[in-house]
Amino acid sequence: MPDDLLAELVELLPVGVFALDDDGRVALWNPAAERLTGWSAGEMVGRSVIPHGPADQPSMMFDAYTAARIAEEIRSGRTVSGMLTAVGGKGGQLHFRVAPGPGSTTLGVLHDVGDKEMSDEAFALLDALWETAPVGLAYFDTELRYRRLNGVVLETVGGSVDDRVGRTPAEVHGPVGATFSEGLRAVLADGRPRSGVPVAGRSWHGRGPFQEWQVHYYPVRIVGGAVRGVGVVMVDVTVAERTRRALDESAAEREHALNRYQSLVEATSAAVWIREADGSARRDAPGLRSITGQTELEHRGWGYLDAVHRRHRHELE
């Protein structure tokens, strides 16, 4: 799904959606979050919601105990939920749900206490956009480490999430992983996406089957435009490439065989000619025409039968 379409979807969700960077500062604050809390995106984006000291107290959403609990659960890879009062905003009671997101980001949902079902649906939708994509999706941080990947990656390459998260492609896959990482470095270096990059080799340090992929790399940015990671779309083209090469090889072999027959026809005085699978003649046969007296045009197709006595013609049809 294109980034702009996903952004529009987040903007339209009827529940508050926010994202925190690895410093606990707000990187995303949608209109529903503004409505529920009374805090605008301009007030919240870039501000810490998990206190790091006295200076953060006026801008935090969570009390110190809740903030510590959220931080501990997120570090453990778990989802945490609870209730908070929108201090500094409307002052209403809100239900929140916070979970680890792509890379080192944290995703959160806010809703009125009575709208928990709506919050669950929003989280399910965000997860579904990731997990049900028909292509391999992965996210890497600036250290080239896996942070998230979907099931298609596991289906096409093998292994598990635990095999990868926190490790680089080179650590997991060896030489082909190092080749894959070249695209990550390029995007981190200049912030430009790369599309249709071919990558081929054996995963799992050469122990896996030979595979080929078309890889699309794109930068993931935070507010302000800084690149904080790389999103990757992987398409397994192993079967397609093998089929294409097999067809190319078959065509080349057929052309070579036909050229050899043509050379034989041209070099011999015997009546040698080539018939197609349906019995017609599509290639010239000078040796035969020297006997029948036909022109090349007269010989083509089923014309060569005109030079055969009708008593024997059925043997060639």
Side-chain angles (χ1 to χ4, degrees), residues 73-295:
E73 294 293 310
I74 293 299
R75 282 195 295 269
S76 301
R78 294 188 290 267
T79 297
V80 59
S81 61
M83 293 209 318
L84 63 89
T85 300
V87 179
K90 291 186 174 180
Q93 288 290 309
L94 303 177
H95 188 275
F96 70 87
R97 185 177 179 187
V98 183
S104 54
T105 60
T106 300
L107 297 177
V109 169
L110 295 167
H111 59 89
D112 291 331
V113 171
D115 292 338
K116 183 175 184 303
E117 182 178 352
M118 186 179 294
S119 170
D120 291 341
E121 289 177 356
F123 246 93
L125 174 59
L126 292 172
D127 280 340
L129 293 173
W130 179 274
E131 293 298 339
T132 62
V135 294
L137 300 177
Y139 177 82
F140 297 83
D141 62 22
T142 55
E143 301 298 321
L144 310 185
R145 295 172 299 195
Y146 277 101
R147 286 305 181 189
R148 187 170 181 181
L149 60 151
N150 70 348
V152 175
V153 174
L154 304 179
E155 292 170 5
T156 57
V157 183
S160 67
V161 172
D162 291 339
D163 292 330
R164 293 176 173 81
V165 172
R167 303 174 67 189
T168 68
E171 290 174 329
V172 178
H173 301 299
V176 70
T179 299
F180 176 87
S181 295
E182 292 174 3
L184 300 176
R185 291 192 183 91
V187 173
L188 291 172
D190 61 19
R192 294 190 299 107
R194 268 74 175 174
S195 298
V197 179
V199 176
R202 297 182 182 276
S203 58
W204 306 107
H205 290 276
R207 296 191 297 272
F210 182 85
Q211 292 175 279
E212 298 179 67
W213 302 271
Q214 287 286 328
V215 184
H216 309 268
Y217 304 87
Y218 61 93
V220 176
R221 303 177 186 275
I222 60 171
V223 175
V227 178
R228 295 303 299 268
V230 181
V232 174
V233 178
M234 302 172 59
V235 181
D236 187 348
V237 295
T238 306
V239 174
E241 285 297 306
R242 287 176 181 170
T243 301
R244 181 189 62 77
R245 283 195 294 269
L247 290 173
D248 289 346
E249 291 171 1
S250 176
E253 291 174 359
R254 182 176 183 276
E255 186 64 23
H256 178 66
L258 289 174
N259 288 338
R260 290 187 62 187
Y261 277 117
Q262 186 68 30
S263 298
L264 172 64
V265 169
E266 295 173 354
T268 182
S269 61
V272 177
W273 76 98
I274 302 170
R275 299 176 63 186
E276 300 300 316
D278 63 357
S280 64
R282 297 182 186 176
R283 288 177 173 260
D284 190 18
L288 178 62
R289 290 195 296 103
S290 66
I291 298 174
T292 64
Q294 289 181 308
T295 65

Side-chain angles (χ1 to χ4, degrees), residues 29-108:
W29 192 258
N30 79 338
E34 294 183 343
R35 176 178 57 79
L36 290 168
T37 65
W39 288 312
S40 69
E43 292 176 297
M44 293 302 297
V45 171
R47 302 181 70 178
S48 175
V49 298
I50 297 179
H52 295 277
D56 287 331
Q57 291 298 318
S59 62
M60 71 177 184
M61 277 170 44
F62 308 109
D63 60 79
Y65 172 78
T66 302
R69 182 166 67 94
I70 290 174
E72 180 181 355
E73 294 293 310
I74 293 299
R75 282 195 295 269
S76 301
R78 294 188 290 267
T79 297
V80 59
S81 61
M83 293 209 318
L84 63 89
T85 300
V87 179
K90 291 186 174 180
Q93 288 290 309
L94 303 177
H95 188 275
F96 70 87
R97 185 177 179 187
V98 183
S104 54
T105 60
T106 300
L107 297 177

